[in-house]
């Protein structure tokens, strides 16, 4: 972790500043701390593989003891939850090779780690809406400030923030493995922090212009506290801090991985200091399928909100947010343009036939709405396909990128 990141961090329990305990084991390269112990008024926390671990769950306590004993290798195993020697060695071999892909490391972590659908995340309908909302809101409010992605998992939307702010976005999640993967693959350049969304957040008041929590809020038990915390994090001098809760399920409509959702009005009631606006995700999705603009000036009716399985909530006093936002199509890849892994290829002379193929019935049930923008079948010139992976796409390939048949994926993703 960067030394300057210490300015943003606070102990989740006493609220005190954190500093490196010089008398205990630590390793520092220039202004980056690799391993060490952070101390506040009440507690000490480990930094493992450059990531501060600011909670007290059993893995974190074990990791802190290992760092104090000068064994950062064992601390890392503890944070990844690698109990068996064989599993730990398989992971460490995969992690040590620069050629390893995201997929290979996920596989080395075992079947219990992450559902198989991460591979398709960048073209699923939920992601499309979240990405467009995050882009529109962050572009409007972040300016020269910072954004934080709370419960951001392996950083698929933190990556969107990287396109927008010059200050590195912070990615916070309880799962060490996820933020570790994000820093290496999905959101290179972010500042990862391992912390608990059900506890006070370990960051200073007003440290951010935008605090967001997407596709995770319905799994949080302490919802009132988290909204209070997100609001505190953006409570700065300009009074225009913005809280975004994206893709949270609706208590009134069943959906897969339902969580413990609230009704639209109960979500709105969580916000005590900034009045929020609640959006139907289905209506935002229609804006995207139509090619934009994303209309955040709308007021969705109670009937529309009540029947949508997923909601997006934005709380801000910034006047520019509740407006119409053009969709963006970055011309250059942040990673590299590649064929969407949902397409199977079949050579046909100088053409290649592409066919949409879902990885399973569960995927189709949850994300089948991608058929609204992904063509069932299309063709691409063999030479065009052979030009991938590419940093920039033009002509036919650019058109396919608009339709998400070609995606800007992180390097070494699969
Ligand atoms: Zn403390």
């Amino acid at each position: 972790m960067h030394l300057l990141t210490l300015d943003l961090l606070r102990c989740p329990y006493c609220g005190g500043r954190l500093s490196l305990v010089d008398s205990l084991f630590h390793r520092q390269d220039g202004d980056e701390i690799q391993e060490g112990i952070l101390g506040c008024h009440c507690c000490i926390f480990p930094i493992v593989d450059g990531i501060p671990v600011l909670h007290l769950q059993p893995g974190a306590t074990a990791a802190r003891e290992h760092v104090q004993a000068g064994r950062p290798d064992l601390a890392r195993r503890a944070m990844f939850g690698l109990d068996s020697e064989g599993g730990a060695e398989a992971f460490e071999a995969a992690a040590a090779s620069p050629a390893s892909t995201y997929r290979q490391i996920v596989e080395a972590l075992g079947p219990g780690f992450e559902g198989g659908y991460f591979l398709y995340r960048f073209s699923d309908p939920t992601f499309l809406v979240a990405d467009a909302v995050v882009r529109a809101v962050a572009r409007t409010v972040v300016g020269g400030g910072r954004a934080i992605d709370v419960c951001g998992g392996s950083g698929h939307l933190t990556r969107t923030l990287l396109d927008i702010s010059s200050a590195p976005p912070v990615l916070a999640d309880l799962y060490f493995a996820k933020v570790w993967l994000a820093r290496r693959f999905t959101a290179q350049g972010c500042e990862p922090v391992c912390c608990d969304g059900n506890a006070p957040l370990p960051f200073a008041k007003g440290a951010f212009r935008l605090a967001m929590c997407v596709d995770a809020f319905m799994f949080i038990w302490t919802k009132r506290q988290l909204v209070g915390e997100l609001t505190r994090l953006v409570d700065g001098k300009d009074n225009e801090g913005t809280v975004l809760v994206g893709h949270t399920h609706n208590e009134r409509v069943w959906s897969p991985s339902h969580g413990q959702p609230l009704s639209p009005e109960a979500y709105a009631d969580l916000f005590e200091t900034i009045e929020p606006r609640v959006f139907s995700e289905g209506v935002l999705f229609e804006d995207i399928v139509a090619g934009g603009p994303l209309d955040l000036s709308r007021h969705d009716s109670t009937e529309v909100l009540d029947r949508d399985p997923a909601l997006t909530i934005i709380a801000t006093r910034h006047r520019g947010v509740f407006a119409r936002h053009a969709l963006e199509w970055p011309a250059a890849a942040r990673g590299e343009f590649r064929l969407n892994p949902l397409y199977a290829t079949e050579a046909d002379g100088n053409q290649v036939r592409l066919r949409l193929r879902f990885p399973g019935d569960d995927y189709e049930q949850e994300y089948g709405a991608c058929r609204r923008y992904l063509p069932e079948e299309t063709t691409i010139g063999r030479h065009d396909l052979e030009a991938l992976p590419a940093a920039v796409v033009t002509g036919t390939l650019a058109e396919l990128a608009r339709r998400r048949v070609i995606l800007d994926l992180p390097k070494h993703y699969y």
Side-chain angles (χ1 to χ4, degrees):
M1 68 173 280
H2 211 270
L3 276 174
L4 288 175
T5 304
L6 284 175
D7 288 340
L8 307 176
L9 299 182
R10 297 291 182 273
C11 169
Y13 309 112
C14 72
R17 291 186 72 100
L18 292 156
S19 55
L20 188 66
V21 182
D22 289 322
S23 57
L24 296 173
F25 175 86
H26 60 281
R27 240 166 22 95
Q28 198 171 332
D29 295 334
D31 49 13
E32 298 269 340
I33 311 169
Q34 299 300 330
E35 266 93 29
I37 300 289
L38 293 173
C40 57
H41 306 300
C42 75
C43 199
I44 54 175
F45 302 94
I47 298 170
V48 180
D49 239 7
I51 300 173
V53 179
L54 303 176
H55 61 77
L56 299 175
Q57 296 203 356
T61 304
R64 196 248 306 143
E65 286 166 1
H66 289 310
V67 172
Q68 282 184 271
R71 291 296 305 271
D73 53 331
L74 297 181
R76 186 164 86 164
R77 285 187 184 188
M79 287 316 299
F80 274 95
L82 296 162
D83 305 327
S84 80
E85 190 66 25
E89 283 172 5
F91 164 75
E92 280 159 8
S97 164
S100 288
T101 63
Y102 182 100
R103 181 184 210 165
Q104 287 166 334
I105 292 184
V106 166
E107 282 167 2
L109 286 168
F113 169 62
E114 195 170 309
Y117 296 150
F118 69 86
L119 198 52
Y120 314 104
R121 177 76 176 136
F122 289 108
S123 69
D124 77 43
T126 311
F127 179 81
L128 258 58
V129 174
D131 177 65
V133 171
V134 168
R135 237 171 243 284
V137 173
R139 186 75 77 199
T140 308
V141 305
V142 174
R146 271 187 202 259
I148 181 166
D149 184 5
V150 175
C151 307
S154 36
H156 290 81
L157 285 161
T158 320
R159 185 173 190 256
T160 303
L161 295 172
L162 284 162
D163 285 345
I164 291 157
S165 70
S166 50
V170 171
L171 166 61
D173 199 275
L174 181 60
Y175 296 96
F176 184 86
K178 293 189 178 185
V179 298
W180 187 96
L181 281 163
R183 183 187 55 186
R184 175 157 168 170
F185 296 102
T186 338
Q188 282 177 3
C190 75
E191 280 288 336
V193 174
C194 188
C195 63
D196 186 356
N198 279 302
L201 297 177
F203 303 99
K205 176 174 180 279
F208 302 93
R209 304 288 290 267
L210 169 64
M212 65 186 209
C213 174
V214 181
D215 204 359
F217 192 73
M218 59 275 185
F219 304 118
I220 295 290
W221 179 241
T222 54
K223 292 182 177 64
R224 180 187 181 201
Q225 173 178 261
L226 181 54
V227 166
E229 283 294 276
L230 295 171
T231 307
R232 182 180 65 80
L233 264 43
V234 300
D235 185 7
K237 289 186 203 78
D238 63 9
N239 213 22
E240 290 187 337
T242 299
V243 173
L244 163 62
V245 174
H247 191 79
T248 188
H249 290 158
N250 183 352
E251 183 185 50
R252 298 207 168 97
V253 188
W254 180 87
S255 47
S257 18
H258 200 52
Q260 301 99 37
L262 303 179
S263 64
E265 64 275 17
Y267 280 123
D269 284 347
L270 295 170
F271 292 79
E272 295 178 308
T273 54
I274 320 177
E275 192 183 340
R277 200 179 289 193
V278 183
F279 296 91
S280 143
E281 192 172 291
V283 174
L284 298 175
F285 178 67
E286 292 303 325
D287 285 353
I288 290 162
V289 172
L294 182 76
D295 187 2
L296 298 180
S297 73
R298 62 164 47 98
H299 292 268
D300 291 329
S301 68
T302 307
E303 296 72 44
V304 167
L305 294 177
D306 278 351
R307 64 171 181 254
D308 198 311
L311 305 165
T312 287
I313 305 155
I314 304 173
T316 185
R317 293 187 192 91
H318 193 299
R319 290 168 170 275
V321 172
F322 298 121
R324 295 165 147 241
H325 301 266
L327 297 184
E328 290 179 34
W329 302 95
R334 167 156 289 280
E336 56 192 10
F337 285 108
R338 293 180 70 178
L339 184 64
N340 184 332
L342 285 173
Y343 282 92
T345 60
E346 188 189 321
D348 182 7
N350 276 332
Q351 299 286 307
V352 178
R353 196 168 298 145
L354 305 176
R355 278 205 187 90
L356 186 61
R357 211 158 58 188
F358 292 123
D361 292 343
D362 286 353
Y363 185 88
E364 191 164 1
Q365 190 190 0
E366 193 163 358
Y367 303 114
C370 68
R371 284 211 166 92
R372 297 283 308 282
Y373 47 91
L374 293 176
E376 206 64 39
E377 192 174 317
T378 187
T379 54
I380 181 174
R382 189 163 53 83
H383 293 295
D384 278 337
L385 190 60
E386 282 168 3
L388 301 178
V392 177
V393 284
T394 54
T396 314
L397 290 176
E399 184 49 35
L400 289 172
R402 267 179 182 273
R403 300 174 74 186
R404 269 90 180 183
V405 175
I406 286 171
L407 297 172
D408 169 8
L409 296 176
K411 287 185 175 165
H412 300 289
Y413 195 53
Y414 73 96

Short mmCIF file of all heavy atoms in Angstrom, two decimals, residues 5 12 14 67 75 82 90 110 112 146 171 186 190 194 206 210 212-213 226 258 262 275 347 358 380 383 395 405:
data_model
loop_
_atom_site.label_atom_id
_atom_site.label_comp_id
_atom_site.label_asym_id
_atom_site.label_seq_id
_atom_site.Cartn_x
_atom_site.Cartn_y
_atom_site.Cartn_z
N THR A 5 -1.82 6.60 1.35
CA THR A 5 -3.13 6.03 1.64
C THR A 5 -3.43 6.09 3.14
O THR A 5 -4.60 6.11 3.55
CB THR A 5 -3.21 4.58 1.11
OG1 THR A 5 -2.89 4.61 -0.29
CG2 THR A 5 -4.58 3.96 1.27
N PRO A 12 -11.52 1.29 12.28
CA PRO A 12 -12.98 1.15 12.26
C PRO A 12 -13.61 1.20 13.65
O PRO A 12 -14.81 1.45 13.79
CB PRO A 12 -13.21 -0.22 11.61
CG PRO A 12 -11.92 -0.96 11.74
CD PRO A 12 -10.84 0.08 11.80
N CYS A 14 -11.93 2.72 16.87
CA CYS A 14 -11.72 3.94 17.67
C CYS A 14 -11.70 5.20 16.81
O CYS A 14 -11.72 6.32 17.33
CB CYS A 14 -10.42 3.85 18.49
SG CYS A 14 -8.91 3.97 17.52
N VAL A 67 2.55 -12.03 10.56
CA VAL A 67 3.38 -10.88 10.17
C VAL A 67 4.29 -10.49 11.34
O VAL A 67 5.50 -10.27 11.16
CB VAL A 67 2.52 -9.67 9.73
CG1 VAL A 67 3.40 -8.43 9.51
CG2 VAL A 67 1.75 -9.99 8.44
N ALA A 75 1.10 -15.42 6.50
CA ALA A 75 0.02 -14.43 6.63
C ALA A 75 -0.84 -14.43 5.38
O ALA A 75 -2.06 -14.37 5.44
CB ALA A 75 0.62 -13.04 6.87
N LEU A 82 -6.15 -20.61 2.82
CA LEU A 82 -5.56 -21.83 2.26
C LEU A 82 -5.10 -22.73 3.41
O LEU A 82 -4.04 -22.51 3.99
CB LEU A 82 -4.39 -21.47 1.34
CG LEU A 82 -4.80 -20.67 0.09
CD1 LEU A 82 -3.60 -19.98 -0.52
CD2 LEU A 82 -5.47 -21.58 -0.92
N ALA A 90 -0.42 -25.04 -4.78
CA ALA A 90 -1.00 -24.83 -6.12
C ALA A 90 -1.27 -23.34 -6.35
O ALA A 90 -0.96 -22.78 -7.40
CB ALA A 90 -2.29 -25.63 -6.27
N GLY A 110 -9.77 -22.90 -5.90
CA GLY A 110 -10.74 -23.96 -5.63
C GLY A 110 -12.15 -23.57 -5.99
O GLY A 110 -12.46 -22.39 -6.14
N GLY A 112 -14.90 -23.47 -4.37
CA GLY A 112 -15.73 -22.73 -3.43
C GLY A 112 -15.51 -21.24 -3.49
O GLY A 112 -16.25 -20.46 -2.90
N ARG A 146 -11.61 11.74 -5.06
CA ARG A 146 -11.49 10.29 -5.09
C ARG A 146 -12.85 9.63 -5.02
O ARG A 146 -13.81 10.20 -4.52
CB ARG A 146 -10.72 9.80 -3.86
CG ARG A 146 -9.25 9.73 -4.04
CD ARG A 146 -8.69 9.06 -2.79
NE ARG A 146 -7.30 9.38 -2.62
CZ ARG A 146 -6.30 8.55 -2.95
NH1 ARG A 146 -6.55 7.37 -3.44
NH2 ARG A 146 -5.05 8.92 -2.76
N LEU A 171 -10.70 0.38 -3.42
CA LEU A 171 -11.58 -0.78 -3.49
C LEU A 171 -11.59 -1.44 -2.11
O LEU A 171 -10.54 -1.83 -1.61
CB LEU A 171 -11.06 -1.78 -4.53
CG LEU A 171 -11.70 -3.19 -4.48
CD1 LEU A 171 -13.20 -3.13 -4.73
CD2 LEU A 171 -11.03 -4.10 -5.49
N THR A 186 -8.02 -7.00 -12.57
CA THR A 186 -9.23 -6.30 -13.00
C THR A 186 -9.10 -4.79 -12.89
O THR A 186 -9.59 -4.07 -13.75
CB THR A 186 -10.43 -6.75 -12.13
OG1 THR A 186 -10.15 -8.02 -11.56
CG2 THR A 186 -11.68 -6.83 -12.94
N CYS A 190 -5.74 0.48 -8.57
CA CYS A 190 -6.63 0.85 -7.46
C CYS A 190 -5.88 0.65 -6.13
O CYS A 190 -4.83 0.03 -6.09
CB CYS A 190 -7.91 0.01 -7.47
SG CYS A 190 -7.69 -1.70 -6.89
N CYS A 194 -8.90 -4.29 2.77
CA CYS A 194 -9.73 -5.41 3.21
C CYS A 194 -10.47 -4.96 4.48
O CYS A 194 -9.82 -4.67 5.50
CB CYS A 194 -8.82 -6.60 3.47
SG CYS A 194 -9.68 -8.12 3.81
N GLY A 206 -15.25 12.56 4.82
CA GLY A 206 -15.02 13.49 3.70
C GLY A 206 -13.85 13.15 2.80
O GLY A 206 -13.43 13.98 2.00
N LEU A 210 -17.25 10.41 -4.09
CA LEU A 210 -18.27 9.42 -4.45
C LEU A 210 -17.99 8.15 -3.66
O LEU A 210 -16.87 7.65 -3.66
CB LEU A 210 -18.20 9.11 -5.96
CG LEU A 210 -19.02 7.90 -6.44
CD1 LEU A 210 -20.52 8.13 -6.24
CD2 LEU A 210 -18.73 7.61 -7.92
N MET A 212 -19.65 4.31 -3.36
CA MET A 212 -20.67 3.45 -3.99
C MET A 212 -20.59 2.03 -3.47
O MET A 212 -19.56 1.57 -2.98
CB MET A 212 -20.51 3.47 -5.51
CG MET A 212 -19.21 2.86 -6.01
SD MET A 212 -19.09 3.11 -7.80
CE MET A 212 -18.11 1.67 -8.26
N CYS A 213 -21.73 1.36 -3.57
CA CYS A 213 -21.83 -0.04 -3.18
C CYS A 213 -22.79 -0.66 -4.19
O CYS A 213 -23.97 -0.34 -4.21
CB CYS A 213 -22.38 -0.14 -1.76
SG CYS A 213 -22.69 -1.85 -1.24
N LEU A 226 -24.43 1.18 7.18
CA LEU A 226 -23.61 1.33 5.98
C LEU A 226 -23.98 2.61 5.23
O LEU A 226 -23.08 3.33 4.77
CB LEU A 226 -23.74 0.10 5.06
CG LEU A 226 -22.89 0.18 3.78
CD1 LEU A 226 -21.41 0.47 4.09
CD2 LEU A 226 -23.00 -1.11 2.97
N HIS A 258 -31.26 -13.59 -3.79
CA HIS A 258 -32.14 -12.53 -3.32
C HIS A 258 -31.53 -11.68 -2.19
O HIS A 258 -31.72 -10.47 -2.14
CB HIS A 258 -33.43 -13.20 -2.82
CG HIS A 258 -34.61 -12.28 -2.75
ND1 HIS A 258 -35.02 -11.49 -3.81
CD2 HIS A 258 -35.49 -12.04 -1.75
CE1 HIS A 258 -36.09 -10.81 -3.45
NE2 HIS A 258 -36.40 -11.11 -2.21
N LEU A 262 -34.81 -4.72 0.88
CA LEU A 262 -35.87 -3.87 1.43
C LEU A 262 -36.79 -3.42 0.29
O LEU A 262 -36.48 -3.62 -0.88
CB LEU A 262 -35.27 -2.64 2.11
CG LEU A 262 -34.26 -2.86 3.23
CD1 LEU A 262 -33.76 -1.50 3.75
CD2 LEU A 262 -34.85 -3.68 4.36
N GLU A 275 -31.38 13.62 0.51
CA GLU A 275 -32.55 12.96 -0.05
C GLU A 275 -32.14 12.13 -1.26
O GLU A 275 -31.51 12.65 -2.19
CB GLU A 275 -33.60 14.01 -0.46
CG GLU A 275 -34.92 13.34 -0.76
CD GLU A 275 -35.97 14.33 -1.23
OE1 GLU A 275 -35.81 15.55 -0.97
OE2 GLU A 275 -36.93 13.89 -1.85
N ALA A 347 -15.25 -21.66 -38.21
CA ALA A 347 -14.67 -21.11 -39.43
C ALA A 347 -15.54 -21.45 -40.62
O ALA A 347 -16.13 -22.51 -40.70
CB ALA A 347 -13.26 -21.66 -39.62
N PHE A 358 -24.76 -19.92 -23.95
CA PHE A 358 -24.72 -19.66 -22.50
C PHE A 358 -24.01 -20.79 -21.77
O PHE A 358 -24.14 -21.95 -22.16
CB PHE A 358 -26.14 -19.48 -21.95
CG PHE A 358 -26.81 -18.24 -22.43
CD1 PHE A 358 -28.02 -18.29 -23.08
CD2 PHE A 358 -26.20 -17.01 -22.25
CE1 PHE A 358 -28.64 -17.13 -23.54
CE2 PHE A 358 -26.81 -15.85 -22.71
CZ PHE A 358 -28.03 -15.91 -23.36
N ILE A 380 -17.88 -12.58 -38.69
CA ILE A 380 -16.77 -11.63 -38.63
C ILE A 380 -15.72 -12.15 -39.61
O ILE A 380 -15.58 -13.37 -39.78
CB ILE A 380 -16.24 -11.53 -37.17
CG1 ILE A 380 -15.08 -10.53 -37.05
CG2 ILE A 380 -15.83 -12.87 -36.62
CD1 ILE A 380 -14.62 -10.29 -35.61
N HIS A 383 -9.68 -12.29 -40.84
CA HIS A 383 -8.56 -11.38 -40.54
C HIS A 383 -8.90 -10.42 -39.41
O HIS A 383 -8.04 -10.08 -38.60
CB HIS A 383 -8.15 -10.61 -41.80
CG HIS A 383 -7.55 -11.51 -42.84
ND1 HIS A 383 -6.36 -12.17 -42.64
CD2 HIS A 383 -7.99 -11.87 -44.07
CE1 HIS A 383 -6.09 -12.90 -43.71
NE2 HIS A 383 -7.06 -12.75 -44.59
N GLY A 395 -13.84 0.39 -37.41
CA GLY A 395 -14.69 -0.25 -38.42
C GLY A 395 -15.60 -1.31 -37.85
O GLY A 395 -16.28 -1.10 -36.84
N VAL A 405 -20.15 -7.79 -28.55
CA VAL A 405 -19.65 -9.07 -29.08
C VAL A 405 -18.13 -9.10 -28.88
O VAL A 405 -17.53 -10.15 -28.69
CB VAL A 405 -20.01 -9.20 -30.58
CG1 VAL A 405 -19.41 -10.46 -31.18
CG2 VAL A 405 -21.53 -9.19 -30.74
#
